[in-house]
Amino acid sequence: MNDHHQSRRRFLGSMLTLAGGSAAPFAINLAAMGNAAAEGAGDYKAVVCLFLNGGNDHANTVLATDSASWSEYTRIRTTADAGSIALPAVGAPRGVLPIVPAGGHAGRSFALHPSMAPLKDLFDQGRAAVVANVGTLVVPTTKLQYQNHAVALPPKLFSHNDQQSMWQSYKPEGASFGWGGRMGDMLAAGNGNATFTCISAAGNAVFLSGREIRQYQISAAGAVPVRNLAGALFGAPAAANPLRAIASGERSEMFEREHAAVVGRAIASQSVLGGAMLAAGPAGVPNPTPFVNPATGAASVNGLAVQLQTVARIIGGRTALGARRQVFYVSLGGFDSHDNQRVVQADLLGRLAHALAYFDGALAALQGADLRKQVTTFTASDFGRTFTSNGDGTDHGWGSHHFVVGGAVKGRQIYGAFPVSGLKHDLDIGSGALLPTISVDQYGATLAGWFGLSATQIADVFPHIGNFSQRDLGFMS
């Protein structure tokens, strides 16, 4: 009997995940779903995880350009063949773009990839920062400890699927919840409708799954309807759709009744979100301008910018949804640059910078209000890459540099000790792959503190944070 109940609950939880509902199905008040606002909805904050799938090459994204660093960079990354991945210097045609941190890093200078001019502008304006050499860690680790396996290390290093999962959940592939979802667990009670606490515009992501909260998945068009339930079917009008009656109608058997309730809530959620989020275009959130490929000059739609437009449309409906805290997930793929890196990464980093600048502008004028201080976007990726080149690309690494963007970010700064450029230094674990000096726990805990979690809640969400003396990296106001 107990096995039957557990199997039934697991099935209902899975159905709710597909339908975009909460894992606590009976806690949702459908009457509240249509409520115009929740008390205190003006106290609004959102975090947006922007995941760079494939492992972005950090060493061509944020570069040290002081004389000694640049000399090592060009020596190691310039190869005899045409596939050299070294970038042109500051001031050269299509050269790297100089940035000047507000303090620290004496004797060193820095630049961004040539494709990232829009992000350089955000950095210079104080709404973007770099966090240097972040990676999955269990405890602070030295090179000797790593080599001797003298401390606990993250499992399955250098594996795409596992390190994506480690970044998002602290466990290798197969984890059931992530730290975005756990933050949602902690703060969902402040929302008028918990269903819209954690929202993905990029498919299923363990980052957004909590112990109680389940992610709500959307497309560029908005809420995803349950197939064949929203419109006419077999000649019957939408209002008399027979499949809808079959799937969500009254049932006498308990299992069928609960399944029908799940489907009914999914239909209701779609209706509520569809009615709350702003339109795309001049009447709502402006459409992104076309992205121009820096290599070819061809203009195209930037899918990442469209994802962020959808996020902005939902944020615009925050009052109608009764939302005070929301966690979003968007992604950009293609960063596994074993070959053709200079061309591919230039396109991808250009799309990243274009999308972030678009999102900044959209939030600055959302319904006539500037919401940039209430929304923080951060990048994440499987891992960094090797400093050495394989001739036309780079191989899997560990630590990597990341961006945090928003009005609440203490911008125009590089946080953490920027590593030495070159090989065989204290953080080189092989081929210039970086041993991280900042853990994902520290990175996430800093965001969580701004988001509103208490020290106790942060310790619950980030299981390794107690192993690190610095729990707040200081990049949030």
Side-chain angles (χ1 to χ4, degrees):
M1 189 69 174
N2 288 339
D3 289 343
H4 165 74
H5 284 306
Q6 289 174 5
S7 298
R8 180 168 60 83
R9 287 173 180 170
R10 281 195 297 270
F11 172 76
L12 290 170
S14 299
M15 289 300 296
L16 260 164
T17 299
L18 293 173
S22 165
F26 305 107
I28 298 177
N29 182 338
L30 287 179
M33 291 176 67
N35 196 1
E39 183 179 355
D43 173 27
Y44 179 83
K45 288 183 179 179
V47 291
V48 182
C49 174
L50 197 172
F51 207 92
L52 309 178
N53 287 298
N56 178 44
D57 176 50
H58 61 283
N60 268 16
T61 303
V62 185
L63 306 92
T65 56
D66 52 273
S67 178
S69 298
W70 190 257
S71 176
E72 280 295 274
Y73 167 80
T74 54
R75 181 182 71 83
I76 294 167
R77 292 210 148 191
T78 301
T79 53
D81 60 25
S84 171
I85 63 169
L87 298 171
V90 172
R94 289 286 303 155
V96 295
L97 306 172
I99 56 172
V100 182
H105 309 285
R108 305 195 76 182
S109 58
F110 304 95
L112 299 182
H113 189 283
S115 295
M116 306 190 80
L119 187 55
K120 169 183 161 54
D121 290 343
L122 292 176
F123 185 93
D124 292 344
Q125 294 162 14
R127 292 196 303 281
V130 174
V131 185
N133 196 14
V134 186
T136 55
L137 285 172
V138 178
V139 297
T141 303
T142 66
K143 182 176 178 178
L144 185 61
Q145 289 171 328
Y146 167 78
Q147 292 171 332
N148 294 333
H149 295 274
V151 296
L153 297 172
K156 300 184 179 181
L157 288 167
F158 317 112
S159 159
H160 283 293
N161 292 350
D162 293 296
Q163 290 308 299
Q164 287 175 10
S165 184
M166 286 295 298
W167 254 92
Q168 297 181 34
S169 70
Y170 320 112
K171 294 183 179 180
E173 188 176 20
S176 58
F177 56 84
W179 56 272
R182 292 290 293 123
M183 290 199 302
D185 285 342
M186 298 296 181
L187 299 179
N191 291 339
N193 179 5
T195 302
F196 305 115
T197 301
C198 294
I199 301 178
S200 173
N204 185 54
V206 69
F207 173 74
L208 289 182
S209 292
R211 289 196 176 106
E212 297 177 357
I213 290 294
R214 291 293 180 263
Q215 61 192 288
Y216 189 95
Q217 297 180 33
I218 57 173
S219 69
V224 180
V226 179
R227 183 174 296 178
N228 295 327
L229 294 191
L233 184 67
F234 301 127
N241 186 315
L243 183 59
R244 179 167 181 163
I246 292 170
S248 61
E250 291 293 329
R251 292 288 186 273
S252 58
E253 199 277 328
M254 181 174 63
F255 184 86
E256 292 180 346
R257 185 169 64 248
E258 292 186 4
H259 174 266
V262 170
V263 176
R265 277 190 288 273
I267 296 169
S269 297
Q270 177 206 347
S271 176
V272 171
L273 183 59
M277 64 189 297
L278 301 183
V285 179
N287 294 320
T289 58
F291 168 73
V292 178
N293 185 304
T296 66
S300 63
V301 174
N302 184 349
L304 177 60
V306 174
Q307 290 179 51
L308 289 171
Q309 179 190 33
T310 306
V311 170
R313 291 171 60 198
I314 295 172
I315 291 173
R318 66 197 180 283
T319 302
L321 295 174
R324 296 179 63 189
R325 295 292 184 273
Q326 288 183 295
V327 186
F328 295 93
Y329 181 88
V330 299
S331 70
L332 179 64
F335 286 91
D336 192 18
S337 53
H338 291 283
D339 51 32
N340 201 26
Q341 177 171 304
R342 281 191 66 170
V343 173
V344 172
Q345 194 187 29
D347 177 53
L348 292 173
L349 292 181
R351 291 180 185 276
L352 172 65
H354 171 264
L356 287 171
Y358 161 75
F359 192 47
D360 178 79
L363 292 173
L366 198 61
Q367 297 174 305
D370 187 346
L371 291 184
R372 290 177 295 185
K373 288 187 177 180
Q374 293 167 264
V375 182
T376 300
T377 304
F378 67 95
T379 64
S381 192
D382 319 18
F383 35 62
R385 305 191 78 84
T386 56
F387 202 82
T388 58
S389 169
N390 59 26
D392 196 24
T394 50
D395 298 317
H396 297 183
W398 191 356
S400 185
H401 311 319
H402 287 285
F403 298 103
V404 187
V405 181
V409 175
K410 295 179 182 177
R412 204 163 63 85
Q413 184 58 284
I414 297 176
Y415 291 86
F418 202 88
V420 171
S421 296
L423 302 174
K424 298 183 179 179
H425 52 76
D426 288 345
L427 298 177
D428 175 11
I429 60 168
S431 300
L434 288 178
L435 175 65
T437 49
I438 290 176
S439 71
V440 175
D441 293 69
Q442 292 170 290
Y443 188 49
T446 305
L447 291 160
W450 170 80
F451 200 48
L453 272 68
S454 68
T456 300
Q457 290 172 324
I458 288 172
D460 190 5
V461 171
F462 300 94
H464 305 136
I465 193 64
N467 298 332
F468 299 90
S469 58
Q470 186 180 11
R471 300 189 179 193
D472 189 327
L473 300 175
F475 58 75
M476 296 302 298
S477 297

